[in-house]
Amino acid sequence: YTANMSLDVTQILLSAQSADGSIRKHAEESLKQFQEQNLPGFLLSLSSELANNEKPEESRRLAGLILKNALDAKEQHRKSELFQRWLALDSGVKAQIKALLLQTLSSPVASARSTSSQVIAKIAGIEIPQKQWPELIGSLLSNIHQVQPNVKQATLETLGYLCEEVSPEAVDQDQVNKILTAVVQGMNASEGNSEVRLAATRALYNALGFAQVNFSNDMERDYIMRVVCEATQSPEVKIRQAAFECLVAISSTYYDKLATYMQDIFNITAKAVRGDEESVALQAIEFWSSICDEEIDILDEYSSEFTADSDVPCYYFIKQALPALVPMLLETLLKQEEDQDLDEGAWNLAMAGGTCLGLVARTVGDDVVPLVMPFVEENITKPEWRQREAATYAFGSILEGPSADKLAPLVNVALNFMLSALLKDPNNHVKDTTAWTLGRIFEFLHGSALETAPVITAENCQQILTVLLQSMKDVPNVAEKACGALYFLAQGYVDAGSASPLAPFFQDIIQSLIVTSHREDAGESRLRTAAYETLNEVVRCSTEETAPIVLQLIPVIMMELHQTLEAGKLSTDEREKRSDLQGLLCGCLQVIIQKLGGMESTKFAFLQYADQMMDLFLRVFACRNATVHEEAMLAIGALAYAAGSNFAKYMAQFYQYLEMGLQNFEEYQVCAITVGVVGDLCRALEDKILPYCDGIMTQLLKDLSSNQLHRSVKPPIFSCFGDIALAIGENFEKYLIYAMPMLQSAADLSAHATAADEEMLDYTNQLRNGILEAYSGILQGFKGSPKMQLLMPYAPHILQFLDALHNGKDMDDSVMKTAIGVLGDLADTLGVHAGPLINQSTSSKEFLDECLSSDDPLVKESADWARIAITRAVSG
């Protein structure tokens, strides 16, 4: 077979792109077979194909693509397999492949050069961190001095991709300097070839993360900034756009180094926003949005007690630029597109400007108001729709950030005007934005947390509702925004207690939302989804008084869910729509279950429907769709919680679906939610869950030892061990030999994890919390049982874990609360047996004192309880 492998690769690659399905399938089979039987030969022949200028462009492009996919994958587990596979290849073969790839960089065919750049970078991403291919960067840099522009262009593109694939630590500063020099020279206006200049500008974008040292040096930084700013003035639109993209990246990576350049940057962004093509102007606005993001973060850190992090001072760039920045943004609001409200992915100058204005308002607060209000007042009544819409958008954009004291008087004046515009304005755009602005008024200036006199009163509530319900009959994009406004109106009353001003209109509101969800055109502008999300929010804010109306909603929603299950043969598109609807209906039932199951007055009446609901949910599982499974699973969890031990009668039927959920590695959210539902079942059924525990524990242990399961599911699995132990008490005995070693090894890993970034630290703390919740549940489960002695061998390790956490100093409050709780559980369950161990533990005393004096009331409460338990154990 190998001899036959000169088998026409070109022809197979072309056939694999054939319009004829059977030819395509046959070619894909041949490629798969070749790869499995002779990987080195396969990769070599693909590289030769890519490097051969005689071959057709299509076969070369696919050859490069297959090479790239043989080196990298999205899925972490698969990615590391491919890395290992490449590293294990014969070094002679690897050298040949690399030589062919480098040779392709000088091909006259642009797509071959570009594909080759990407493959070289993928190999570099594997090898450079392993200290292999040390000569790569040098040989790329020597290409830069070649005469042919296409070689230069391809080399710069390769350097850009390389910076994307390799992390800065893996490349030494001397090489970084050379790469940056080559890239910045390629960006220079003196570079005659615009393809080269574009490739260099895009490469700089990827290389910025490598430039820490260079940005700390004034001369080098000045030079880089000058070249970037000059590139924003290039005659080529693509270069201008790429240069602004570099400025956006610099604004977040090197915020603290920008002060001396801000005046110049303002001038070039203003020029671009006012006169350049949209793709460039959008990036120029993005620069200011990015500066807002940085300053919002820094100012947030200033205001939170935890100031250790804000080592970057705020330079108040936005505050200084306000008088010029706001007028520039207001001008963009008048550049709307005719049909932007109908296109979900629409993004244009007016939308970018409004978004930026909203960020400016969050950055500077009250100072933005006097700069925007004259524009609003001047344009809100103009005959031209663009001016009315822009004025409304400007007003809506500044409602988050400034103080309620500053905004309330303006909103009180504006409210009646807006309500009337929502019904009477002849233009759809204006109505769409008006409904959005009303939603923002209700979101930010309404609710129990506000200090000022309320904007929404019992007097105007009826008028507001009348207008919103009327507006829900308008065209879909306006109706969707009206639903959104009603959502925030309801949300503001969630804590209103018994006297909610919505109560008299409750029936009408629910009726209107159901009617809206049934509209023929409810599929447009996400209207159906918005109607259900709003219905859910209205149910959440219902009270004892309105609960009977919610009760009447159950048969209505159940009937709709029943109808979706009766549908016959459907096309793929119809199936998709049906699944969306089933997901929405299950979500709605879940909210109703939580609401009515939690109220004593309705609980009994509500549970009359439990059998029918459960029946529907089980039928939903028969439809293969992950989102629907998540929603049904959550609803069942809520039902179990409400039904308590009565839920046991459904377990025999439900168990197979529970197991299916726990086995669902691919759709890991389904798996995570199912693990949560196991917790709900434990709390509802207590020891009645015992018959199912073997199966559940087996599956959870399998999940933990699988390296294919997404890491985010592991912390909840550990806390689920705790839930099970609490539910079945000493019966957990037979699982100890499996569960404890897993907990111990995870505990060791998580105690000594050095978190590289915020995200990793968050995950580590979730993991610690999960492990501690498991220990806590197991300890409490054995309390008062003669079998508690079985836990003694594990006690020293648990204490070591607590010591390690305490010494690591990077716990968040929730971990601290659980950790001190575990110390208390240990003392409480093991009593005098634990006393000597706790006395020997190096830091338990310090840790307890720290928690007792914590500002966090939950930590303190947990510590007070632990102190009592420990005192008993130690003095006993």
Side-chain angles (χ1 to χ4, degrees), residues 157-175:
E157 190 176 347
T158 310
L159 286 168
Y161 287 134
L162 186 138
C163 292
E164 206 176 0
E165 295 293 336
V166 178
S167 71
E169 308 70 272
V171 183
D172 59 75
Q173 190 57 39
D174 176 48
Q175 286 198 312

Side-chain angles (χ1 to χ4, degrees), residues 558 561-562 565 611-620:
M558 286 202 313
L561 186 52
H562 176 75
L565 292 164
D611 289 4
Q612 285 166 282
M613 276 195 251
M614 198 59 200
D615 195 45
L616 285 169
F617 295 145
L618 294 176
R619 286 181 62 193
V620 166

Side-chain angles (χ1 to χ4, degrees), residues 210-357:
F210 286 71
Q212 299 287 351
V213 173
N214 314 78
F215 260 80
S216 307
N217 171 318
D218 295 355
M219 262 175 57
E220 294 186 38
R221 184 177 65 243
D222 285 347
Y223 180 55
I224 296 173
M225 291 300 291
R226 197 188 78 229
V227 171
V228 173
C229 290
E230 280 170 6
T232 64
Q233 307 301 304
S234 154
E236 296 286 330
V237 64
K238 281 184 167 165
I239 294 176
R240 296 199 299 279
Q241 182 185 338
F244 273 113
E245 284 171 5
C246 286
L247 275 181
V248 174
I250 289 168
S251 69
S252 60
T253 315
Y254 300 111
Y255 167 83
D256 56 329
K257 305 272 193 289
L258 286 176
T260 47
Y261 313 107
M262 283 310 267
Q263 189 54 57
D264 291 336
I265 294 177
F266 182 82
N267 296 337
I268 58 181
T269 51
K271 184 181 150 209
V273 170
R274 293 197 164 108
D276 208 330
E277 296 191 32
E278 186 174 68
S279 63
V280 182
L282 285 172
Q283 289 303 321
I285 294 176
E286 188 56 39
F287 173 84
W288 291 101
S289 292
S290 170
I291 293 284
C292 288
D293 286 333
E294 291 305 308
E295 297 197 341
I296 289 169
D297 281 351
I298 296 168
L299 294 168
D300 266 358
E301 275 169 5
Y302 277 5
S303 62
S304 70
E305 303 85 275
F306 186 61
T307 43
D309 236 17
S310 46
D311 40 8
V312 178
C314 185
Y315 287 93
Y316 300 100
F317 292 139
I318 299 295
K319 208 180 173 102
Q320 289 161 29
L322 269 187
L325 180 59
V326 171
M328 169 181 96
L329 293 172
L330 291 171
E331 276 172 46
T332 65
L333 300 185
L334 294 158
K335 304 201 170 137
Q336 309 95 325
E337 279 171 19
E338 288 288 342
D339 53 358
Q340 65 185 44
D341 297 330
L342 304 177
D343 168 14
E344 272 214 12
W347 186 245
N348 56 44
L349 214 53
M351 295 167 83
T355 303
C356 186
L357 185 60

Side-chain angles (χ1 to χ4, degrees), residues 608-803:
Q608 305 303 306
Y609 292 109
D611 289 4
Q612 285 166 282
M613 276 195 251
M614 198 59 200
D615 195 45
L616 285 169
F617 295 145
L618 294 176
R619 286 181 62 193
V620 166
F621 281 121
C623 315
R624 309 294 291 136
N625 179 295
T627 343
V628 185
H629 284 196
E630 284 178 45
E631 294 296 339
M633 207 38 105
L634 287 166
I636 287 175
L639 188 58
Y641 187 79
S645 61
N646 292 328
F647 190 83
K649 63 176 175 181
Y650 307 120
M651 279 304 289
Q653 280 175 291
F654 172 50
Y655 180 72
Q656 56 167 327
Y657 299 109
L658 187 73
E659 196 161 62
M660 244 167 55
L662 294 176
Q663 286 163 352
N664 197 339
F665 288 171
E666 286 69 50
E667 292 145 351
Y668 67 89
Q669 286 93 339
V670 178
C671 187
I673 284 171
T674 311
V675 170
V677 169
V678 172
D680 293 333
L681 292 171
C682 289
R683 286 181 281 282
L685 298 175
E686 296 179 326
D687 60 358
K688 288 190 184 170
I689 198 168
L690 193 56
Y692 304 97
C693 283
D694 283 3
I696 292 173
M697 280 300 293
T698 305
Q699 203 43 59
L700 293 177
L701 291 162
K702 257 193 206 146
D703 284 353
L704 281 177
S705 46
S706 151
N707 50 8
Q708 284 165 349
L709 184 63
H710 196 275
R711 66 174 194 188
S712 64
V713 191
K714 300 204 167 166
I717 290 179
F718 284 127
S719 24
C720 196
F721 285 174
D723 294 330
I724 292 172
L726 265 177
I728 64 173
E730 61 177 32
N731 293 305
F732 195 80
E733 172 191 356
K734 61 173 166 179
Y735 307 125
L736 286 174
I737 54 168
Y738 306 105
M740 287 314 232
M742 286 232 174
L743 282 165
Q744 289 183 352
S745 60
D748 290 341
L749 276 175
S750 80
H752 305 297
T754 42
D757 50 42
E758 278 296 309
E759 197 187 332
M760 193 59 203
L761 180 62
D762 279 349
Y763 175 71
T764 302
N765 275 321
Q766 283 166 12
L767 192 59
R768 291 166 175 171
N769 217 12
I771 294 164
L772 291 163
E773 285 178 345
Y775 281 144
S776 174
I778 292 169
L779 285 162
Q780 289 177 39
F782 279 84
K783 187 182 173 177
S785 152
K787 293 189 175 169
M788 67 154 188
Q789 287 297 337
L790 295 171
L791 299 181
M792 276 307 291
Y794 305 109
H797 187 277
I798 295 177
L799 285 165
Q800 266 169 324
F801 179 45
L802 295 175
D803 280 344

Side-chain angles (χ1 to χ4, degrees), residues 30-302:
S30 309
L31 286 169
K32 191 170 171 231
Q33 209 174 357
F34 183 6
Q35 177 169 7
E36 284 165 3
Q37 292 181 347
N38 179 1
L39 183 68
F42 178 67
L43 298 176
L44 255 175
S45 60
L46 291 175
S47 318
S48 318
E49 186 76 20
L50 180 57
N52 187 338
N53 286 324
E54 312 289 293
K55 298 290 186 182
E57 190 175 344
E58 288 73 38
S59 68
R60 297 174 74 179
R61 190 187 293 132
L62 184 58
L65 186 67
I66 296 173
L67 267 174
K68 198 173 106 179
N69 291 339
L71 296 162
D72 193 14
K74 274 203 171 57
E75 217 260 316
Q76 199 48 52
H77 171 66
R78 177 82 184 126
K79 193 187 185 112
S80 51
E81 274 178 13
L82 294 173
F83 273 29
Q84 294 311 318
R85 189 175 81 170
W86 170 262
L87 290 169
L89 275 181
D90 171 73
S91 52
V93 173
K94 282 190 289 202
Q96 274 176 284
I97 292 173
K98 292 180 205 169
L100 287 163
L101 290 168
L102 286 168
Q103 176 193 321
T104 312
L105 293 181
S106 52
S107 164
V109 181
S111 68
R113 295 197 300 274
S114 181
T115 308
S116 187
S117 293
Q118 295 174 45
V119 180
I120 291 170
K122 291 289 180 199
I123 296 176
I126 300 175
E127 295 202 353
I128 287 181
Q130 307 279 337
K131 301 275 181 270
Q132 299 179 15
W133 210 359
E135 69 283 7
L136 169 66
I137 293 175
S139 64
L140 288 173
L141 291 168
S142 63
N143 275 350
I144 296 281
H145 307 300
Q146 300 249 352
V147 192
Q148 307 119 297
N150 61 354
V151 180
K152 262 192 187 174
Q153 178 266 331
T155 303
L156 286 162
E157 190 176 347
T158 310
L159 286 168
Y161 287 134
L162 186 138
C163 292
E164 206 176 0
E165 295 293 336
V166 178
S167 71
E169 308 70 272
V171 183
D172 59 75
Q173 190 57 39
D174 176 48
Q175 286 198 312
V176 171
N177 294 344
K178 288 180 178 155
I179 293 174
L180 284 169
T181 305
V183 168
V184 177
Q185 271 170 357
M187 281 177 72
N188 236 320
S190 58
E191 173 54 63
N193 181 298
S194 61
E195 290 298 314
V196 172
R197 200 173 172 201
L198 178 60
T201 310
R202 287 180 175 160
L204 179 67
Y205 178 85
N206 286 331
L208 283 167
F210 286 71
Q212 299 287 351
V213 173
N214 314 78
F215 260 80
S216 307
N217 171 318
D218 295 355
M219 262 175 57
E220 294 186 38
R221 184 177 65 243
D222 285 347
Y223 180 55
I224 296 173
M225 291 300 291
R226 197 188 78 229
V227 171
V228 173
C229 290
E230 280 170 6
T232 64
Q233 307 301 304
S234 154
E236 296 286 330
V237 64
K238 281 184 167 165
I239 294 176
R240 296 199 299 279
Q241 182 185 338
F244 273 113
E245 284 171 5
C246 286
L247 275 181
V248 174
I250 289 168
S251 69
S252 60
T253 315
Y254 300 111
Y255 167 83
D256 56 329
K257 305 272 193 289
L258 286 176
T260 47
Y261 313 107
M262 283 310 267
Q263 189 54 57
D264 291 336
I265 294 177
F266 182 82
N267 296 337
I268 58 181
T269 51
K271 184 181 150 209
V273 170
R274 293 197 164 108
D276 208 330
E277 296 191 32
E278 186 174 68
S279 63
V280 182
L282 285 172
Q283 289 303 321
I285 294 176
E286 188 56 39
F287 173 84
W288 291 101
S289 292
S290 170
I291 293 284
C292 288
D293 286 333
E294 291 305 308
E295 297 197 341
I296 289 169
D297 281 351
I298 296 168
L299 294 168
D300 266 358
E301 275 169 5
Y302 277 5

